[in-house]
Each structure stands twice: as structure tokens, then as C-alpha cells.
Amino acid sequence: MRQQRADYTLADLLALPDDAPRVELVDGVLQVTPSPTLGHQDISLLLAHWLLQHVPVDLRVVQAVGVGLSSNTSRQPDVLLRRAGMNPTRSMLRPADVVLAVEIVSPGTRRIDRFAKPGEYAAAGIPFYWRIEQDPVHVYAYRIGDRVGPGGERQYELITDGEDVIELTEPFEIKLPISEITP
């Protein structure tokens, strides 16, 4: 089935009923996102649990909440860190609310998670992006840099990566043993 319109907006997305399928809005097109695998969900839950135990009080851990990247694009990172003190009834975040967006790569989302989403998150100004590959679990941690793309948008720079431990000083002091997020 092919969508007939390509002019949906964030307002249209927010007007969908609560029982609508999980969708992302990409350049005005509503895209139903596939159900994640058990391995994907295990990593997501383990990471969220680890972050809950370690984040500073000014940050909150969230899963599967939409981020409005522009008037016609919204994504739902698998895990994200947002700023504390927001109205709990909100169902859509702004890029300025998000400190870290995390995507866990699955076979059906490789290209999107490796290329499209980091470009969109960086262009929107989200400071940090992590990409987690499965089998074996490997974390790539990026920070928005000074490099700009052909359209003048900022791009991410790789800070560190590893399959044993990730150590970072931003967005907070992190020493994450990868075994703690490996199912």
C-alpha cells in the first residue's frame, strides 16, 4: 500500500489516535516502523536500566518518544536522554530537549540508523548520538562537531567506540561496560 500524500506535519502526527501504530514522520511521509527484534529490545532495556542508575539528576532516560526534528519530520530514538523538568504529559520533544539520541541497529534499519538518522539528529542540533550494533554488541559514540556538510548542516564526529567498555566525559562521566547491555 502506497501513501498518497507527502505533506503531513507534526500537527497531523500529534493528532493521530493513541492506539495508532508506531510511526515516524519523514519529509512529510508517515512511515510505520517495524516491530523490533527481541535482541534489539533487550539491548534497549538494558541500556535504559544502566543509564537510569548513572545519569545526573538534571537528565531523564526515555524510550520510544518522538522528537520533532522539523515541521515535517519526527523520529523516535530507541533510547534518549532528555532534560529534566518537563511537563510529563508531553508526547513530542523538541531537539533542544534532547541531550543524547541512541539507535540500536537492526537488519531492517541499517541504512537509516547509520546514515539518515544521525544526519537528521545533527542537523537538528542534538548534541550526542550513539549507534549500537548487534552481534557482537558494539557502541559508537558521536558528538556534534564543527564539521559541516554540503548543505551547511553540522555533522557528528566519532568520539570513541568499543565492544568492551565505553568511557566518556560528555554528556556526563560515563564508564559503560558493554557486557552490562549485552543480552
Side-chain angles (χ1 to χ4, degrees), residues 1-8 29:
M1 188 166 87
R2 193 170 258 305
Q3 181 175 314
Q4 298 300 312
R5 293 177 50 192
D7 62 349
Y8 288 98
V29 176

Side-chain angles (χ1 to χ4, degrees), residues 134-148:
Q134 301 184 55
D135 199 26
V137 175
H138 193 111
V139 177
Y140 295 85
Y142 300 86
R143 132 176 99 223
I144 205 158
D146 296 327
R147 251 185 17 218
V148 293

Side-chain angles (χ1 to χ4, degrees), residues 46-69:
L46 289 168
L47 176 62
H49 183 263
W50 190 92
L51 287 168
L52 280 167
Q53 295 176 333
H54 295 89
V55 296
V57 296
D58 61 331
L59 297 175
R60 297 289 184 272
V61 180
V62 180
Q63 291 181 286
V65 170
V67 180
L69 301 174

Side-chain angles (χ1 to χ4, degrees), residues 93-156:
L93 298 174
R94 298 165 303 163
D97 302 329
V98 180
V99 174
L100 167 68
V102 180
E103 294 292 348
I104 300 160
V105 179
S106 293
T109 64
R110 283 186 186 111
R111 189 176 331 163
I112 294 166
D113 293 339
R114 291 177 183 161
F115 302 106
K117 287 184 179 182
E120 293 166 357
Y121 295 154
I126 295 173
F128 299 94
Y129 174 71
W130 290 4
R131 186 183 85 236
I132 301 178
E133 298 282 344
Q134 301 184 55
D135 199 26
V137 175
H138 193 111
V139 177
Y140 295 85
Y142 300 86
R143 132 176 99 223
I144 205 158
D146 296 327
R147 251 185 17 218
V148 293
E153 69 281 355
R154 293 173 68 188
Q155 296 181 328
Y156 286 118

Side-chain angles (χ1 to χ4, degrees), residues 8-9 22-23 28 31 39 41 60 70 76 88 93 107 114 127 129 152 154 159 167 177-178:
Y8 288 98
T9 66
R22 181 177 171 193
V23 296
Q31 297 181 346
Q41 290 303 86
R60 297 289 184 272
S70 70
Q76 289 187 13
L93 298 174
R114 291 177 183 161
Y129 174 71
R154 293 173 68 188
I159 303 169
E167 293 189 59
I178 304 305

Side-chain angles (χ1 to χ4, degrees), residues 3 5 8 12-13 16 23-26 28-32:
Q3 181 175 314
R5 293 177 50 192
Y8 288 98
D12 295 320
L13 183 65
L16 291 174
V23 296
E24 293 182 326
L25 178 65
V26 181
V29 176
L30 291 173
Q31 297 181 346
V32 176

